[in-house]
Amino acid sequence: MCEEVNAKIATDISSSVDNFLFDCDGVLWNANEVIPGSLETVKGLKALGKRIFYVTNNSTKTRAEYAQKCVKLGFPATEDDIVCTSYISALYLHNMNFKGKIYVVGNPSIGAELDRFGLRHTGIGPDPPDEDQPAFQPVPGLDLDPEIKCVLVGFDKYISYPKIMKAASYARQEGNIFLATNEDSHLPMDVPYVVPGTGSIVTSVKVAARKEPVVMGKPQTNMFKCLQEAHNLDPSRCMMVGDRCNTDISMATNCGMRSLLVLTGVSTLADVGAYKASGDPTHATYVPTYYASRLGQLGKLLGL
Ligand code: PLP
Ligand code: CA
C-alpha cells in the first residue's frame, strides 16, 4: 500500500475508476490559488468521461457557493457535484425528520443550508460584546431556549466564550443532539502563524459539555453515502483524492474506496510512514493506496 503513481498505475486507475472524488483545499487549490496541474487533470479526466465530485470539510459555504468558487477557478461543477459539511449537516437533520430548533455555531452559509430544508435555527452572527460581564457570571441572552434540541458546531471565526457556554449547555442537555461539521485541527495556510480549524472550536464545546459530537464530515462516511445514493456509485470504481490522511484517506478506507494522497497540502510521506509503523488500527485507515507529489502528476502520466 501507498505506492507512488507511475505510468502503469495511472493507466490502471484510468481504466478501473469511473468516479473521482476530490478534496478541495490542498488538492485543487490552496486558499484561492489553483495548484499547478490540478485544473488540467480534472478537466482532462472529465473529458475522458469520468464523473467528478468535490467533497470538502469546509462548512463556510453552501453547495451553490462552492460550485461558484469551483467555476470561478475553472473547475467544472454544478451544485449536485458538491458535498460540503454545511449541506451534509442539514441533510442529516432533514433525513432524521428533526423538528426542534438548532443552536448553531457557524457562519451564515450553515444557516442558509438549514433554511433550504426548512430547519429552524437560532440564526448566526457575532454575539454582542460581553465586556461588562465577568466571564463566570451568566451572560446576557443565556436564558436557555427549551425549543432547542440540537447543537451544530461548524467554523466560526467569531467564536466567543458566551457561544461556547451556550453550545455546551445545549449539548449537555439530556436527549439533545450534538453535531460537529468536522474536526480539522487547523487550516493549512502559507502564513507564519497557526490558523485554528473547526476541530479546535468543537473541542472547546465538547470538553465543557463532557459529551462527544456526531461528526458529519470526513473521515466519517456520511458525505460519500450521500453521493453514493444520489449517483448510484460503486466504491470499487471510485477514487478519493486528498491531502489529509486522517480525514480524506481515512474516509476512503472507511467506504471501501481506493485513495490517492497528494503532497500539496497537510500530510507528508513521513506521516504515512509513522501511521504504517504505529500498529494502531485507526492509523491503518490513514494509509493511502497511492501517492503523488501533486494531482498534476497523475494528469501528466495520462497525457492530460
Ligand atoms: N474548514 C474550513 C473552515 C476551511 O477553510 C477549510 C479549507 O479551506 C477546510 C475546512 C478544509 O477543507 P477541505 O476538506 O476542502 O480540505
Ligand atoms: Ca484538504
Side-chain angles (χ1 to χ4, degrees), residues 1-2 219 244-254 259 261 267-289:
M1 284 270 267
C2 195
R244 202 167 193 138
C245 290
N246 67 347
T247 56
D248 308 321
I249 304 305
S250 185
M251 182 190 78
T253 310
N254 294 338
S259 57
L261 175 71
S267 295
T268 63
L269 278 186
D271 294 332
V272 175
Y275 295 139
K276 274 185 175 173
S278 80
D280 178 329
T282 304
H283 287 175
T285 71
Y286 300 176
V287 179
T289 324

Side-chain angles (χ1 to χ4, degrees), residues 23-26 243-244 248:
D23 168 70
C24 298
D25 200 69
D243 70 301
R244 202 167 193 138
D248 308 321

Side-chain angles (χ1 to χ4, degrees), residues 202-225:
V202 171
T203 299
S204 66
V205 176
K206 77 179 183 189
V207 168
R210 287 152 286 151
K211 194 166 165 181
E212 285 296 318
V214 178
V215 178
M216 298 285 101
K218 300 168 283 188
Q220 303 306 321
T221 56
N222 302 299
M223 298 213 281
F224 177 69
K225 284 190 178 145

Side-chain angles (χ1 to χ4, degrees), residues 35-97:
I35 296 172
S38 291
L39 200 51
E40 294 78 358
T41 306
V42 173
K43 289 205 288 201
L45 289 169
K46 193 166 172 81
L48 290 176
K50 310 299 180 190
R51 281 193 293 185
I52 305 294
F53 299 101
Y54 304 90
V55 183
T56 175
N57 267 1
N58 197 333
S59 64
T60 64
K61 288 182 170 53
T62 61
R63 280 197 308 164
E65 288 165 345
Y66 237 91
Q68 276 165 20
K69 174 164 183 174
C70 287
V71 169
K72 195 170 157 200
L73 293 178
F75 294 95
T78 66
E79 202 175 329
D80 283 346
D81 308 328
I82 312 273
V83 197
C84 49
T85 50
S86 52
Y87 170 74
I88 202 72
S89 303
L91 183 68
Y92 178 89
L93 289 166
H94 170 76
N95 285 345
M96 72 187 311
N97 202 20

Side-chain angles (χ1 to χ4, degrees), residues 24-301:
C24 298
D25 200 69
V27 173
L28 306 178
W29 58 69
N30 277 316
N32 291 311
E33 295 288 324
V34 173
I35 296 172
S38 291
L39 200 51
E40 294 78 358
T41 306
V42 173
K43 289 205 288 201
L45 289 169
K46 193 166 172 81
L48 290 176
K50 310 299 180 190
R51 281 193 293 185
I52 305 294
F53 299 101
Y54 304 90
V55 183
T56 175
N57 267 1
N58 197 333
S59 64
T60 64
K61 288 182 170 53
T62 61
R63 280 197 308 164
E65 288 165 345
Y66 237 91
Q68 276 165 20
K69 174 164 183 174
C70 287
V71 169
K72 195 170 157 200
L73 293 178
F75 294 95
T78 66
E79 202 175 329
D80 283 346
D81 308 328
I82 312 273
V83 197
C84 49
T85 50
S86 52
Y87 170 74
I88 202 72
S89 303
L91 183 68
Y92 178 89
L93 289 166
H94 170 76
N95 285 345
M96 72 187 311
N97 202 20
F98 180 78
K99 293 291 177 223
K101 199 167 160 189
I102 304 151
Y103 180 77
V104 185
V105 174
N107 84 335
S109 297
I110 295 190
E113 290 288 13
L114 295 172
D115 289 340
R116 283 192 70 179
F117 286 101
L119 292 158
R120 292 182 302 136
H121 58 89
T122 45
I124 288 115
D127 279 18
D130 186 37
E131 276 136 23
D132 300 338
Q133 298 281 332
F136 51 85
Q137 296 266 314
V139 291
L142 199 61
D143 293 336
L144 295 180
D145 178 346
E147 280 202 281
I148 289 181
K149 302 292 179 202
C150 172
V151 177
L152 170 57
V153 181
F155 186 76
D156 182 350
K157 62 182 175 183
Y158 302 106
I159 187 65
S160 64
Y161 192 86
K163 286 185 187 179
I164 296 169
M165 204 181 229
K166 287 183 204 176
S169 303
Y170 288 122
R172 177 105 188 122
Q173 279 181 353
E174 185 87 24
N176 276 8
I177 299 166
F178 177 21
L179 305 183
T181 56
N182 63 301
E183 292 192 297
D184 292 29
S185 54
H186 67 288
L187 305 182
M189 289 186 170
D190 196 14
V191 288
Y193 42 84
V194 169
V195 185
T198 307
S200 49
I201 298 172
V202 171
T203 299
S204 66
V205 176
K206 77 179 183 189
V207 168
R210 287 152 286 151
K211 194 166 165 181
E212 285 296 318
V214 178
V215 178
M216 298 285 101
K218 300 168 283 188
Q220 303 306 321
T221 56
N222 302 299
M223 298 213 281
F224 177 69
K225 284 190 178 145
C226 158
L227 286 177
Q228 189 176 24
E229 233 166 73
H231 303 277
N232 196 23
L233 303 184
D234 170 358
S236 73
R237 303 218 38 107
C238 293
M239 175 71 75
M240 176 74 209
V241 185
D243 70 301
R244 202 167 193 138
C245 290
N246 67 347
T247 56
D248 308 321
I249 304 305
S250 185
M251 182 190 78
T253 310
N254 294 338
C255 295
M257 283 185 276
R258 282 169 286 168
S259 57
L260 170 63
L261 175 71
V262 293
L263 304 175
T264 42
V266 173
S267 295
T268 63
L269 278 186
D271 294 332
V272 175
Y275 295 139
K276 274 185 175 173
S278 80
D280 178 329
T282 304
H283 287 175
T285 71
Y286 300 176
V287 179
T289 324
Y290 310 110
Y291 76 91
S293 59
R294 56 181 61 243
L295 177 57
Q297 188 182 339
L298 174 66
K300 206 167 166 194
L301 288 165

